[in-house]
Amino acid sequence: MKIKKVTKAVFPVAGMGTRFLPATKSIPKEIMTLVDRPLIQYAIDEARAAGIKEFIFVTSRGKSALEDYFDHSPELENTLRKAGKDDLLEILKETNMDSGAIAYLRQTRPLGLGHAVWCARRLIGDEPFAVLLPDDVIAAEKPCLQQMMEAYEQTGGNMVAAMEVPPHKASSYGVLDIAEDMGAIVLAKGMVEKPKAEDAPSNLAVIGRYILTPKVLSNLNKMKQGAGGEIQLTDAIAEETKTGKVYGYRFRGQRYDCGSKAGFLQATVAFGLARPDLREEFGAYLNDMIALQKAAQ
Ligand code: UTP
């Protein structure tokens, strides 16, 4: 079986980010920073490490800061160059994209994640593609999408990142119905969006990394024509469990839900403590905070 290489990735960033209002009234959620890097930078780095060459952003009104972020900034670069700040120039390089490697298109109405991915159909064409939700930040020795690509090279088909969650949390995720458990890789026979704890078919929840076949886009096409309200990506992938192959991949790493306030704060602490330049001072401060909290109880 010849498995086609995945070189395109879709970043759906058209959501309204209501959980972070009022900040997201004027700042795209994806530009909010973990330590000193915006969420979107973590997702781009992960995609690059996995061999992605074309980056497709599905945006909406009010996201121009996101587009500016990936532009060259000649004035800033000149100033830094004149001041001999080569280290900072090096950091800025991470934000540069090759000409033509990045595309922005608009989702004109927030009709859901499935609809956002469907909006990119013409740029994807008839190829497998990756989808990364920048809200999900994953700390891992080997980046999560790269792990998935390696597994996908053996399986082909569709692959979703999966992690174990306790039953009471299942209702926040799409959950896999497992046909065969092969360890890191599971074959799915179904996928249920946000089931109640008692209805969850397993404890394997899908998080925001996907490798998908173009068939998922045709499934979304039918849903777009038929359904009202939000168009779920989960439903279009679940459709493929009947005829095609859908695999869950238990990635190695720690995922942070940066679309929620608690998850964002947890990620800030974890990434702050992981930074050699901050670890000592920040760690000492956290210890003091914990001691103060305990004393106050
Ligand atoms: P969320 O469910 O987190 O929604 O979307 P949201 O609007 O970003 O945030 P809240 O819930 O209002 O706080 C998951 C991902 O899907 C994208 C979002 O940008 C995010 O990356 N999305 C969601 C779209 O691109 N379009 C949509 O219509 C909905």
Side-chain angles (χ1 to χ4, degrees):
M1 180 178 46
K2 178 100 181 76
I3 294 166
K4 229 174 167 181
K5 217 171 159 39
V6 180
T7 57
K8 295 181 180 177
V10 179
F11 300 82
V13 292
M16 291 185 287
T18 53
R19 282 171 287 173
F20 280 96
L21 280 170
T24 43
K25 185 176 168 215
S26 65
I27 305 165
K29 178 170 61 173
E30 302 73 24
I31 285 292
M32 298 197 318
T33 55
L34 279 183
V35 189
D36 49 13
R37 308 170 83 231
L39 293 184
I40 193 66
Q41 184 72 56
Y42 292 91
I44 291 285
D45 289 351
E46 190 180 325
R48 277 179 173 146
I52 296 298
K53 304 280 181 240
E54 289 181 55
F55 304 80
I56 304 164
F57 284 80
V58 183
T59 71
S60 58
R61 266 190 308 278
K63 301 271 178 171
S64 51
L66 193 65
E67 300 185 20
D68 292 345
Y69 179 75
F70 290 109
D71 261 353
H72 272 281
S73 178
E75 270 179 31
L76 175 62
E77 285 166 27
N78 276 338
T79 311
L80 293 175
R81 201 167 292 115
K82 277 186 197 146
K85 306 233 156 142
D86 294 344
D87 51 338
L88 295 181
L89 278 167
E90 205 51 42
I91 288 174
L92 278 188
K93 270 194 195 153
E94 293 172 19
T95 67
N96 294 157
M97 288 284 190
D98 292 342
S99 296
I102 191 161
Y104 299 97
L105 48 91
R106 284 275 175 121
Q107 182 190 29
T108 48
R109 282 182 299 156
L111 290 178
L113 174 60
H115 181 260
V117 171
W118 178 82
C119 287
R121 67 200 177 282
R122 290 200 181 86
L123 291 179
I124 295 165
D126 193 27
E127 284 180 41
F129 60 101
V131 177
L132 294 94
L133 306 190
D135 300 10
D136 277 339
V137 176
I138 302 163
E141 217 162 278
K142 183 182 281 185
C144 178
L145 190 64
Q146 192 181 344
Q147 295 177 38
M148 289 172 71
M149 290 287 196
E150 288 171 8
Y152 165 82
E153 275 160 24
Q154 299 163 29
T155 61
N158 299 276
M159 184 163 280
V160 298
M163 66 175 200
E164 258 125 46
V165 295
H168 70 278
K169 295 236 167 120
S171 61
S172 306
Y173 298 91
V175 176
L176 293 176
D177 193 354
I178 299 171
E180 193 184 345
D181 195 330
M182 296 164 277
I185 301 174
V186 302
L187 177 65
K189 60 179 176 197
M191 246 171 110
V192 190
E193 183 64 19
K194 302 191 169 63
K196 285 192 204 133
E198 59 273 27
D199 299 332
S202 76
N203 65 349
L204 263 193
V206 175
I207 61 127
R209 299 291 183 275
Y210 311 79
I211 298 172
L212 301 175
T213 57
K215 183 72 192 341
V216 171
L217 294 175
S218 1
N219 296 345
L220 284 168
N221 204 25
K222 279 184 246 147
M223 286 169 194
K224 205 208 158 265
Q225 286 157 6
E230 285 219 340
I231 295 158
Q232 302 290 354
L233 184 59
T234 302
D235 295 343
I237 302 171
E239 189 69 25
E240 283 308 279
T241 58
K242 294 181 202 149
T243 50
K245 302 255 180 194
V246 177
Y247 298 95
Y249 181 76
R250 288 188 176 98
F251 61 95
R252 296 174 303 282
Q254 176 66 45
R255 171 256 190 184
Y256 296 94
D257 175 11
C258 291
S260 78
K261 287 189 261 268
F264 195 92
L265 290 170
Q266 287 159 18
T268 301
V269 171
F271 280 75
L273 289 176
R275 282 275 295 261
D277 55 332
L278 296 171
R279 188 179 298 143
E280 204 177 317
E281 186 182 347
F282 188 44
Y285 174 73
L286 288 177
N287 280 331
D288 289 350
M289 286 290 283
I290 292 163
L292 274 175
Q293 290 267 335
K294 277 199 182 136
Q297 275 164 15

